[in-house]
């Protein structure tokens, strides 16, 4: 046995077996966590009281459908980025472009009564800030789970993976929040949901790559 072989054996002797990565298991964990948050909101009576009346409206179809699409795409990009050599800039650019398209689509479901109101009334800053904070709070457990999955995997570009992780967690958190958000104005949703999502994505981009420094 050569000295190199002996060195390799010595370094690997105490290594514990690594569980093989399963994307299905990771997706399942995300769904369970998001469903758990939703269940807690429903048990606490946090669902908007008129949900039964508005659930089939064009506005709610845009709100829930658009966020569901963004959450699905963002989660797929994030999980894909954990395995080399993924985490391409094109995928992240596509996610951001899709977010812009979803927000622009809100113009279609804006009624004349809403569009005629003063801008400050439509934005309702005090309530909007609370909505953004709620999205951040709901996103944190999801971001923590994705951070663990990211740590267990082998991302080649941790900064891009971290950004994708933040975007995925934030869009999932925003989707869960739709069940209790009373706002009906697409401009309000586009602005304050974007604020909450951007805050989570920025925090993930800044915090998560630090754990990958040697």
């Amino acid at each position: 046995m050569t000295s190199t072989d002996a060195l390799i054996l010595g370094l690997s002797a105490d290594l514990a077996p690594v569980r093989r990565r399963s994307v299905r298991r990771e997706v399942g964990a995300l769904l369970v966590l998001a469903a758990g948050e939703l269940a807690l909101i429903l048990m606490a009576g946090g669902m908007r009281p008129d949900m039964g009346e508005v659930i089939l409206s064009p506005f709610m179809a845009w709100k829930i459908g658009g966020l569901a699409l963004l959450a699905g795409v963002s989660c797929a990009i994030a999980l894909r980025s954990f395995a080399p050599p993924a985490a391409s800039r094109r995928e992240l650019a596509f996610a951001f472009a899709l977010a812009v398209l979803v927000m622009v689509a809100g113009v279609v479901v804006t009624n004349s009564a809403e569009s005629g109101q003063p801008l400050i009334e439509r934005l309702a800053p005090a309530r909007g800030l609370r909505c953004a904070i709620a999205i951040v709070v709901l996103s944190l457990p999801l971001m923590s789970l994705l951070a663990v999955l990211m740590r267990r995997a082998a991302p080649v570009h941790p900064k891009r993976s971290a950004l994708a992780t933040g975007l995925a967690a934030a869009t999932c958190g925003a989707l869960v929040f739709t069940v209790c958000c009373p706002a009906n104005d697409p401009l309000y949703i586009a602005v304050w949901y974007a604020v909450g999502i951007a805050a989570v994505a920025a925090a993930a981009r800044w915090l998560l790559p630090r754990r990958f420094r040697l």
Side-chain angles (χ1 to χ4, degrees), residues 21-23 26-27 30 74-88 91 142-166 168-169 208 212:
R21 186 182 177 214
S22 170
V23 175
E26 293 172 353
V27 171
L30 283 171
S74 300
C75 286
I77 292 174
L79 294 176
R80 214 178 99 79
S81 75
F82 297 164
S88 71
E91 290 178 335
L142 295 160
M143 187 174 75
S144 299
L145 173 59
L146 284 166
V148 170
L149 298 178
M150 178 179 169
R151 184 66 178 175
R152 289 178 178 175
V156 175
H157 303 288
K159 293 180 179 179
R160 296 181 200 169
S161 291
L163 182 58
T165 290
L208 299 187
F212 290 82

Side-chain angles (χ1 to χ4, degrees), residues 11-73:
L11 292 174
S12 61
D14 297 328
L15 292 179
V18 177
R19 188 178 185 182
R20 187 174 182 179
R21 186 182 177 214
S22 170
V23 175
R24 287 186 179 180
R25 186 167 57 242
E26 293 172 353
V27 171
L30 283 171
L31 290 175
V32 168
L33 182 54
E37 290 186 340
L38 178 59
L40 288 175
I41 291 175
L42 297 179
M43 287 189 295
M47 184 172 67
R48 57 183 292 173
D50 62 344
M51 180 62 80
E53 301 173 7
V54 301
I55 187 63
L56 298 178
S57 65
F59 165 76
M60 289 301 291
W62 166 77
K63 186 179 180 182
I64 296 177
L67 281 169
L69 177 61
L70 284 175
V73 170

